[in-house]
Amino acid sequence: MASPKTLINALHAHWEVVEHLVLAAREHAAFTPEQVLAILTRTGPERTLESREAALRQMIAADLLQVLPRDTLLQLHPLVLDFARGLTREHELGLSEVLQARVQAITQSSARLLEGLQSRDFDQLRQAGFQLAELFRQIAQQLDQDRHAILEIAERAKSADANLPIARRYREVLEAFDRYVEPMAEMMDTGPGGTFYRHLEAAEQALDHAVETLTVQGGLYGDRQNLRQVSFRAKELRRLGREVLKQCSDTLLPLREEIRQHDSLSGAVSLLLGRVRKRGLLATLRARDLPRWRRDQPRRISVSPAVGVWMAEALEYQPPTVGFPDDAAPVATFDLEYVDESALLAELKSAVPVNDLLIWLQQRFPNYSDGTLLRLYHALLVRHDWQLCIADQSTQRELQRLRVTYHAHALVHA
């Protein structure tokens, strides 16, 4: 194994060859020596065969190119491949599952941060802050790489041969939308089902609380600055997530709609209309081949007798007289219900776990109106004092005047 300094020197000396190999790595997992020599010829046509072979041996000796075991094929060093793709914006589209796992890991690091803050374990506090910073950096890097990868996919689809079938031309676009954009949209949903903003918001609150606590208790200035910078990264990551999702959706959705508009039926109709335009209807379709519902339009324009009846009724029309009341109608009054939300919240916290929040509210406050009951139900769902478990099957519930169909929300301890 060559030293890192030797590898970097070889990368500097053969950067043009590495760029071509990175582009070719999209189609070939490994290269034959002849393929590498052909790339060396393309980048330096003035070189002799001996100099090209010497350059190939130098790249292999510097570990820039690795010989596969039990074979003579060559592959580009994996770290060099990732580094070159990062510099040349030639990324491959990542997996949405990896991004979801990193977002889930934010919750564990936030819990370790709060645990270290409560136990005054500053080492654990610093480690949790560093873990959050590293997770934010990895997520931001993956989002940026995936954005460039999706733009590259769209550019390849647009620049492909127009004679290719539309399904084959935009196959990669459909796969990217189904495999990445839709899971990203579900993960970044601002509702209860979304995890991206909810976990980031919880991490921001934990970091801000840690900074305030360290400020009050007189913690080290360096620790406070580090945690504050991590909190800023979390806020920036939320903005970046919205921006990347919007740009990816705006890039792929028009292409996806174009695929739907060019299905087999529309293609057949377009082909038939093109023949009619070029050859005429009678030459394209024989009389017995025309649709059975075809009929000739009459050439003489006449007025239906019903029109005369309508005109006579219009001439004799008398507008009806409407009498307006002298006094204004009484304004409907509504009874305002007083709700002690702090007492309700404290009672609900003591009752957790709750199998169905709506049933608990209806049984606990049977005198509340349907509007007040549903308002309290939706207000309690967005709180972060507990964890929600949503039922897979929908159910119906009779209120005082309404019947609601909903998915039951169970509350468990966070």
Side-chain angles (χ1 to χ4, degrees):
M1 179 178 179
S3 63
K5 184 177 180 180
T6 305
L7 181 61
I8 294 174
N9 289 333
L11 181 61
H12 170 70
H14 305 284
W15 174 251
E16 295 182 358
V17 180
V18 170
E19 281 186 322
H20 286 79
L21 289 175
V22 168
L23 293 176
R26 291 183 176 274
E27 301 177 358
H28 304 281
F31 307 96
T32 61
E34 290 75 14
Q35 289 176 324
V36 181
L37 289 174
I39 294 176
L40 285 169
T41 305
R42 196 182 313 160
T43 56
E46 71 282 354
R47 295 180 178 179
T48 62
L49 179 60
E50 291 76 10
S51 62
R52 293 195 296 268
E53 292 178 348
L56 176 59
R57 290 192 296 269
Q58 182 184 359
M59 294 170 67
I60 296 175
D63 207 23
L64 191 60
L65 290 176
Q66 297 176 342
V67 181
L68 294 180
R70 301 180 182 180
D71 206 338
T72 59
L73 295 178
L74 303 173
Q75 71 172 2
L76 198 59
H77 195 289
L79 297 179
V80 174
L81 181 61
D82 294 338
F83 177 68
R85 280 178 174 174
L87 294 180
T88 57
R89 300 295 187 185
E90 296 291 341
H91 303 286
E92 294 291 339
L93 185 60
L95 298 176
S96 60
E97 292 81 2
V98 176
L99 191 60
Q100 292 176 359
R102 287 172 176 168
V103 172
Q104 294 290 343
I106 293 177
T107 305
Q108 301 176 1
S109 300
S110 302
R112 293 188 70 251
L113 181 74
L114 295 177
E115 181 181 354
L117 186 64
Q118 293 177 358
S119 61
R120 298 182 61 83
D121 189 350
F122 295 104
D123 291 336
Q124 182 177 350
L125 189 66
R126 295 189 197 96
Q127 292 176 2
F130 292 153
Q131 289 177 358
L132 285 174
E134 182 64 20
L135 286 173
F136 294 158
R137 184 194 64 80
Q138 293 175 357
I139 292 173
Q141 181 181 5
Q142 183 175 353
L143 287 175
D144 184 66
Q145 293 177 357
D146 293 342
R147 170 171 55 183
H148 288 282
I150 285 181
L151 293 177
E152 181 69 21
I153 290 173
E155 291 174 0
R156 286 201 300 268
K158 293 177 182 178
S159 61
D161 189 2
N163 296 325
L164 289 175
I166 195 72
R168 180 180 173 186
R169 184 180 180 185
Y170 290 145
R171 180 187 305 166
E172 196 174 5
V173 172
L174 291 175
E175 292 178 356
F177 193 90
D178 296 337
R179 185 167 52 91
Y180 185 83
V181 176
E182 284 190 352
M184 281 281 292
E186 295 177 359
M187 183 177 63
M188 293 190 179
D189 186 11
T190 55
T195 58
F196 186 80
Y197 294 116
R198 184 156 54 90
H199 291 340
L200 281 179
E201 185 179 2
E204 287 180 26
Q205 295 175 357
L207 288 167
D208 293 339
H209 177 63
V211 172
E212 293 176 0
T213 305
L214 290 178
T215 303
V216 172
Q217 296 179 355
L220 294 177
Y221 178 77
D223 293 343
R224 285 182 289 163
Q225 285 296 106
N226 291 333
L227 293 178
R228 187 176 288 110
Q229 292 298 326
V230 176
S231 178
F232 292 160
R233 288 189 183 182
K235 295 178 175 62
E236 178 65 18
L237 187 58
R238 294 176 64 184
R239 182 200 64 81
L240 180 62
R242 291 193 298 267
E243 179 182 342
V244 170
L245 180 61
K246 182 179 183 302
Q247 188 172 3
C248 294
S249 301
D250 294 343
T251 302
L252 296 185
L253 272 178
L255 300 179
R256 193 165 180 256
E257 292 301 322
E258 184 178 350
I259 298 172
R260 291 182 175 180
Q261 294 173 5
H262 290 79
D263 56 2
S264 58
L265 178 61
S266 62
V269 171
S270 300
L271 179 62
L272 182 60
L273 291 178
R275 291 180 180 176
V276 171
R277 179 178 59 83
K278 295 178 181 178
R279 302 168 55 187
L281 181 61
L282 297 179
T284 304
L285 296 175
R286 293 171 296 181
R288 63 175 179 271
D289 295 335
L290 292 175
R292 295 181 181 273
W293 43 262
R294 175 181 174 272
R295 65 178 182 179
D296 295 331
Q297 295 291 336
R299 297 182 181 274
R300 184 173 59 86
I301 301 176
S302 61
V303 180
S304 174
V307 178
V309 177
W310 294 342
M311 295 177 65
E313 293 178 354
L315 290 175
E316 298 177 359
Y317 175 76
Q318 295 293 333
T321 302
V322 179
F324 292 92
D326 295 335
D327 298 331
V331 180
T333 58
F334 299 94
D335 296 332
L336 299 179
E337 295 179 336
Y338 172 74
V339 179
D340 190 354
E341 295 189 3
S342 59
L344 186 148
L345 186 60
E347 185 174 352
L348 180 57
K349 287 182 179 179
S350 63
V352 172
V354 175
N355 294 330
D356 192 329
L357 179 59
L358 185 59
I359 295 177
W360 185 86
L361 286 173
Q362 188 180 16
Q363 293 176 352
R364 180 61 185 81
F365 306 101
N367 297 327
Y368 284 171
S369 63
D370 295 346
T372 303
L373 200 66
L374 292 176
R375 181 185 66 81
L376 292 174
Y377 177 71
H378 289 289
L380 292 174
L381 288 180
V382 299
R383 297 188 63 89
H384 301 284
D385 301 311
W386 40 69
Q387 185 176 356
L388 297 177
C389 296
I390 306 176
D392 296 333
Q393 302 295 330
S394 61
T395 183
Q396 289 188 350
R397 185 70 181 174
E398 296 283 348
L399 303 180
Q400 295 183 3
R401 292 187 176 183
L402 302 176
R403 180 190 298 118
V404 295
T405 302
Y406 68 104
H407 290 263
H409 288 73
L411 306 184
V412 296
H413 292 288

